[in-house]
Amino acid sequence: MTRTLAPSAALSALVLAAAPAHADSVLRIGMTAADVPTTTGMPNNGFEGMRFLGYPVFEGLVLWDLSRTDRLAGLRPGLAERWEQAPDDKATWIFHLRPGVRFHDGTAFDADAVVWNLDRYFKPDSPHYEPPAAGISRARAPLLAGYRKIDERTVAITSAAPASYFPYMVVYLLFTSPASFEKVGRDWAKVAALPAAGTGPFRITQVRPREVVELARNDAYWDRESLPKVDRVRLMPIPEANARIAALRAGQVDWIEAPAPDGIPSLRQAGFVITTGSYPHVWPWFYNIGAEKSPLKDVRVRQALNYCIDRDGLVTFLNGTAEPAVGWLKAGDPDFGAPQNRYGLDPKKGRALLAEAGYTEKNPLALKVMISTSGSGQMQPLPMNEFLQENLKQTCNVDVSFNVVEWQVLLNAGRSAPDSPALQGAHALNVSSPSSDVAVMARYFSSANVSPKGFNFPQWTDARFDAALKELAGATDPATIATATRAAHERLVDDPPWLYIVHDLNPRAMSPRVKGLVSPQSWFVDMTRISVQ
């Protein structure tokens, strides 16, 4: 297997460490990304981009409530102080904008700025349309069908159909100052280096691709109770797990994402703080069901693979930083339901299903999987996939080969058509993903959201799933919503569009100087609470 890493990113950490100390407080973070996320206001690099260069800098009408650890993160007011469904049209939501909010460049955030940004994402003939940001936003909010200004502080956004979970899609739409685009002659490439202005608690002060993004506290932030406790944040891409550990040990960073599991005991012994916690995450293989000659069109093959993998062995291999995944949701989730299949390591059953589908010892199943070297939520993709490669060969005689690419390349492939040249013949993609709410379920599995429109890369269709999703989308009664959600999830298990592997426990390692981190049940963190002492 060919591995393509980015040593320049790790090297940059060493170079930056030599910079002179400053009197102000600086939080230095080693990310898993191979490059800094884009800085025009809709960051790439998945949810790691949103975690560090999305919400801290460019906010949405709706934000995540990241203040608690005892339950899944819900929503809270952001740039909109409240919202509701229109009384005469359940597909239209009215957002009442927060007064007095200004972008980092001093210009006002108002309804015109909202419409301008939505045109940027959803209106291809707009002079400020930004294709990369549009691709990300359209996939995360595939139900958005229209929008309009009502007055200076009120906008209406319409979904393609009534959906009680629509605000959970709006949470991913971020807002950039229109003045940033005008200032550099209407060129998004130049906006990225400006840098762009948002409304968040931090502002970007410096961008060096592949090396670093510097953030500074926004002292004029509209939420006076949430001013950051650090003066600056330095974000550095260090895609290799052991290089991140080395940077932490050497004092070059204060915080690293996803430390190598075998390095965690020695980090603890050396006095570093290790945090873990349950959050809505699943680490799967997305089946490419739609490709013309895909062996995964057969549900027996998809089920068989779910019986052939040793999840418990992989958890042990990961030093307990994950838990087995036997569905999109965790097995203990009340919405998991009662599917007919309860996956576990059962090679006899897996081989029998493969044989029924025509894959025997003399005609073994062969799969090509596109994986990444690193990335947001990707855990330890190279060693984990090598474990699975050997595991599948031993248990069910499945031959697996890999095409190893950078994280953003893999994300782009996930928005491709099933026989696209970008997939290079891949039968599956290893893309970690959230499982936080029904809106995410709709994005990834509804037949209306097949790629490239949404995240349904497998091109999976299941009539019973779609019926359950339609029922819960129009329901307001909690019992009805819960029953429909369970019915939908049962179909995700029994007619699996994915190979469910593990749920990450979100390990981070940091210096004991880092204080105030709350690890919510979310992909995101509240950076304003954190201090460095």
Side-chain angles (χ1 to χ4, degrees), residues 314-530:
L314 184 55
V315 168
T316 300
F317 176 74
L318 293 170
N319 207 1
T321 58
E323 54 190 322
V326 294
W328 186 66
L329 295 173
K330 298 182 181 184
D333 192 296
D335 291 330
F336 188 90
Q340 295 177 8
N341 290 272
R342 292 303 293 243
Y343 298 123
L345 180 59
D346 191 341
K348 183 177 179 180
K349 188 166 188 175
R351 283 176 179 260
L353 285 166
L354 288 174
E356 288 177 19
Y359 297 101
T360 62
E361 289 295 320
K362 294 182 179 180
N363 180 37
L365 176 65
L367 297 176
K368 182 178 181 180
V369 185
M370 184 177 284
I371 68 175
S372 66
T373 55
S374 62
S376 171
Q378 289 294 89
M379 305 179 67
Q380 311 298 327
L382 295 177
M384 289 172 70
N385 278 295
E386 288 172 344
F387 179 99
L388 292 168
Q389 183 182 46
E390 182 178 358
N391 173 198
L392 285 168
K393 183 62 178 177
Q394 290 179 348
T395 58
C396 293
N397 195 34
V398 177
D399 294 319
V400 177
S401 61
F402 297 123
N403 181 21
V404 186
V405 298
E406 280 194 356
W407 172 227
Q408 189 59 45
V409 173
L410 182 60
L411 283 179
N412 292 342
R415 294 195 288 271
S416 302
D419 283 305
S420 168
L423 297 175
Q424 303 175 44
H427 298 107
L429 306 181
N430 170 221
V431 181
S432 64
S433 57
S435 54
S436 54
D437 53 79
V438 172
V440 175
M441 180 187 282
R443 287 189 356 238
Y444 278 94
F445 304 115
S446 169
S447 61
N449 294 325
V450 296
S451 59
K453 179 182 178 182
F455 281 118
N456 187 348
F457 167 78
Q459 310 276 310
W460 180 76
T461 60
D462 183 282
R464 283 186 280 174
F465 174 87
D466 282 342
L469 188 66
K470 182 177 180 180
E471 181 178 2
L472 70 88
T476 55
D477 173 56
T480 301
I481 292 173
T483 298
T485 303
R486 287 194 293 271
H489 189 264
E490 288 167 1
R491 297 308 302 153
L492 293 179
V493 176
D494 288 332
D495 185 13
W498 294 359
L499 175 61
Y500 303 110
I501 303 172
V502 292
H503 301 291
D504 187 17
L505 289 181
N506 202 18
R508 292 186 171 101
M510 55 192 66
S511 162
R513 298 172 56 244
V514 177
K515 306 294 183 182
L517 172 67
V518 173
S519 294
Q521 294 186 38
S522 170
W523 283 62
F524 312 110
V525 293
D526 184 350
M527 301 291 291
T528 68
R529 297 171 175 265
I530 299 165

Side-chain angles (χ1 to χ4, degrees), residues 161-246:
S164 56
Y165 51 78
F166 187 59
Y168 281 89
M169 292 186 175
V170 176
V171 75
Y172 296 112
L173 301 175
L174 305 184
F175 295 90
T176 301
S177 168
S180 296
F181 185 69
E182 297 295 332
K183 185 175 180 179
V184 291
R186 301 189 169 194
D187 184 338
W188 281 114
K190 293 180 179 177
V191 173
L194 185 60
T199 60
F202 291 93
R203 56 186 176 84
I204 302 173
T205 57
Q206 185 181 87
V207 181
R208 295 209 303 271
R210 297 269 175 182
E211 292 186 10
V212 67
V213 174
E214 295 265 6
L215 310 181
R217 180 174 54 221
N218 173 21
D219 289 323
Y221 185 47
W222 57 266
D223 186 352
R224 306 307 295 168
E225 295 183 0
S226 297
L227 289 176
K229 292 180 172 57
V230 295
D231 298 298
R232 292 188 293 128
V233 176
R234 180 178 295 155
L235 303 170
M236 291 176 280
I238 309 176
E240 208 280 315
N242 286 320
R244 290 194 295 277
I245 287 180

